[in-house]
Amino acid sequence: MRIISGGEFSSYWKSQTAREEDNKTESIVKEIIASVRKDGDKAVRHYASRFDKSSPAQLEVSLTEAKRSFEELRANDPALTQALELASRNLKRFSEKQKEQFIDFEYEMDTGLITGQRVIPVQRAAVYVPGGRFPLFSSVLMCMIPAFCAGSEEVILCSPPAEDGLPDRKILAAAAIAADEAGVSDNGRLRIFAIGGAQAIAALAIGTETVPRADIIAGPGNKYVAAAKRFLFGETGIDFIAGPTDVLIISDGMDVKCADADDFSPQAADIIAADMLAQAEHDPDARARVLVPNKEFAQLIAAAVESRLIALPTAEIARASLEAGGLIVVYQSMEEALRIADTIAPEHLELQLKDAESWAPLIKNYGSLFIGALSAEALGDYSAGVNHTLPTSTSARFTGGLSVRHFFKTVTTLRCTPGEGFEKARNAAEIIARSEGLEGHAQSAACRKKI
């Protein structure tokens, strides 16, 4: 893990963000897409035998199987079941509140010129949830519940098969919880498929004999999944292209106070270290970064990280991540810290500052904002109600995280009646079209003059 000054950040960042072409990954993904396009289910099974833990003859999984997995989870781990149910309720409440912000309306611009907006759910929403090192069953809730709340008629879940030919049991249990929260009682509105990787994305985007074509695909995945989403965008909608996960923490060491000391930096440093490791343990490519006001505090954080690593079960992954890209930047001023934060455009941004509320409106680029030391990013990952499917790799510069809006189409309407406003707009359209050389457009507007 490196400690650098704010002045060194620009050159460091330029070296870190230089894009390396991954021709091998792209070549494999293009091959998979072409094969699925040509051979459908046969190609899906072929790539499952190459890349997944099994290649099930039956690709679709019944909702009954998901409910059975839920009952097993409830019997064997009631605490986890209750935690997932609480997370599900909070996600639903937050998603429904978001939905309230999207409304149909009509607005009379001028006499006879009535414009409008309609908010329509996509009919078929697909969710991809990876298995891998850490099966992300929490992502099932994060992606499926907003789709259900948006009103999609059908939600499809794809996740890689394990040795028994089924997705991870906790992923299936989470699907049952999400379905129950949405009031889904049969396979009509929820369909589950044991398909993983780029072949799952291709099947969902193109459609096969078994897998219906989806209108939008959401959810996390590895570099093959990300490449497939990128190549197939346009044939289907996507949430965004997700890269390695990251966190940025801005701290002045003053937001957490020890009970018996005026200097409370040690406790603040320990909390920051815990949050850095929570991010770093995801993957060696995950990135944990911190902005602090002085080098002494930076060194305190580095020491706290080393202390926590000793007892961390995922220490090997976390250390690899921190050695590859862990960073502590010493900023000279609030303005410099804000500039660096907006350049990084982090997926997760934590403000562990004494005056965090005053900083919050000044930062523009982040996927999700966590204000104050109590607001751990881990709560956003799991249980607080906000979504953990967020933009990465600086894409927070132009998009936010997954929400009900991804499962809506916001379309416009126009309704005209005789009136002065209509005639002015009609005449303007005729003039503009003729000036552009599109006489057919001009005549289309002109022929309505005397209606």
Side-chain angles (χ1 to χ4, degrees):
M1 183 164 60
R2 294 181 61 179
I3 299 175
I4 65 172
S5 69
E8 297 173 282
F9 175 78
S10 181
S11 59
Y12 168 86
W13 188 245
K14 186 176 180 180
S15 70
Q16 291 292 303
T17 53
R19 185 177 185 272
E20 294 183 10
E21 296 294 332
D22 190 349
N23 294 325
K24 184 178 179 181
T25 296
E26 294 186 357
S27 177
I28 292 170
V29 170
K30 287 178 180 178
E31 174 200 309
I32 291 171
I33 292 170
S35 295
V36 172
R37 196 182 299 280
K38 178 176 179 289
D39 295 325
D41 288 347
K42 180 181 176 182
V44 169
R45 291 189 176 95
H46 168 71
Y47 289 108
S49 67
R50 282 183 59 184
F51 301 125
D52 291 333
K53 295 176 181 178
S54 67
S55 180
Q58 181 73 27
L59 297 177
E60 187 161 7
V61 179
S62 70
L63 184 55
T64 300
E65 195 66 54
K67 291 178 178 178
R68 183 180 296 117
S69 296
F70 167 71
E71 293 299 336
E72 290 173 0
L73 183 68
R74 184 163 61 179
N76 297 326
D77 197 339
L80 176 58
T81 303
Q82 291 169 11
L84 288 172
E85 288 174 331
L86 181 141
S88 184
R89 288 194 298 273
N90 284 347
L91 276 162
K92 183 180 179 182
R93 291 171 63 194
F94 187 73
S95 295
E96 288 179 337
K97 187 64 179 177
Q98 286 182 317
K99 185 178 180 180
E100 292 176 9
Q101 313 309 309
F102 297 90
I103 59 171
D104 295 352
F105 68 81
E106 278 199 337
Y107 172 57
E108 188 168 14
M109 303 274 288
D110 204 343
T111 308
L113 195 66
I114 302 121
T115 57
Q117 168 180 289
R118 291 184 65 206
V119 180
I120 304 172
V122 298
Q123 289 179 278
R124 183 179 288 134
V127 170
Y128 181 78
V129 176
R133 185 186 294 114
F134 303 113
L136 299 178
F137 50 90
S138 59
S139 290
V140 176
L141 306 180
M142 295 285 171
C143 297
M144 285 178 58
I145 287 174
F148 282 133
C149 287
S152 292
E153 294 176 14
E154 186 176 339
V155 177
I156 299 171
L157 171 65
C158 270
S159 191
E163 290 85 352
D164 62 0
L166 297 173
D168 179 87
R169 292 287 179 171
K170 289 178 182 176
I171 286 176
L172 289 177
I177 291 170
D180 184 64
E181 192 67 48
V184 175
S185 58
D186 57 43
N187 274 45
R189 199 172 167 206
L190 169 62
R191 297 180 68 182
I192 303 170
F193 293 88
I195 310 175
Q199 63 269 26
I201 305 303
L204 292 167
I206 298 164
T208 72
E209 303 93 316
T210 301
V211 183
R213 184 181 183 186
D215 300 315
I216 185 169
I217 304 170
N222 61 19
K223 61 182 180 179
Y224 298 98
V225 168
K229 288 170 75 174
R230 184 169 71 250
F231 292 142
L232 289 162
F233 175 62
E235 290 192 61
T236 186
I238 62 171
D239 46 0
F240 35 73
I241 306 296
T245 187
D246 70 274
V247 67
L248 176 67
I249 303 165
I250 307 179
S251 176
D252 55 11
M254 302 290 285
D255 193 33
V256 180
K257 187 173 182 179
C258 291
D260 57 354
D262 293 329
D263 180 6
F264 37 87
S265 292
Q267 189 178 6
D270 185 60
I271 289 175
I272 291 168
D275 291 357
M276 292 183 75
L277 292 172
Q279 201 66 31
E281 73 175 353
H282 274 288
D283 187 275
D285 291 329
R287 293 294 174 259
R289 306 179 179 106
V290 186
L291 306 182
V292 296
N294 60 67
K295 193 169 183 179
E296 291 73 23
F297 189 43
Q299 291 169 336
L300 207 59
I301 293 168
V305 166
E306 287 299 321
S307 178
R308 280 187 168 271
L309 271 170
I310 295 170
L312 191 68
T314 52
E316 184 178 353
I317 300 167
R319 187 176 293 280
S321 166
L322 293 173
E323 288 178 353
L327 183 68
I328 304 176
V329 182
V330 179
Y331 62 86
Q332 298 301 311
S333 65
M334 180 182 189
E335 291 72 25
E336 183 177 61
L338 293 171
R339 184 170 62 252
I340 291 172
D342 277 336
T343 299
I344 292 174
E347 177 186 10
H348 311 94
L349 175 59
E350 294 188 1
L351 300 181
Q352 296 195 25
L353 299 153
K354 186 177 183 180
D355 196 16
E357 292 286 354
S358 67
W359 285 62
L362 304 177
I363 305 176
K364 308 301 180 186
N365 299 337
Y366 52 83
S368 194
L369 183 64
F370 302 84
I371 304 169
L374 286 179
S375 306
E377 183 257 310
L379 271 69
D381 271 353
Y382 294 121
S383 59
V386 296
N387 208 290
H388 78 196
T389 307
L390 299 168
T392 61
S393 304
T394 76
S395 58
R397 293 175 296 115
F398 54 82
T399 190
L402 187 71
S403 74
V404 290
R405 72 181 175 88
H406 284 90
F407 304 101
F408 283 136
K409 299 176 292 182
T410 304
V411 298
T412 57
T413 63
L414 178 63
R415 184 162 56 87
C416 296
T417 60
E420 183 180 356
F422 160 72
E423 177 54 30
K424 286 190 291 187
R426 186 213 60 74
N427 184 57
E430 181 181 351
I431 292 169
I432 294 169
R434 190 160 285 129
S435 180
E436 285 188 340
L438 298 174
E439 183 59 27
H441 282 64
Q443 292 180 17
S444 175
C447 73
R448 288 168 166 78
K449 184 173 183 180
K450 296 182 179 180
I451 292 178

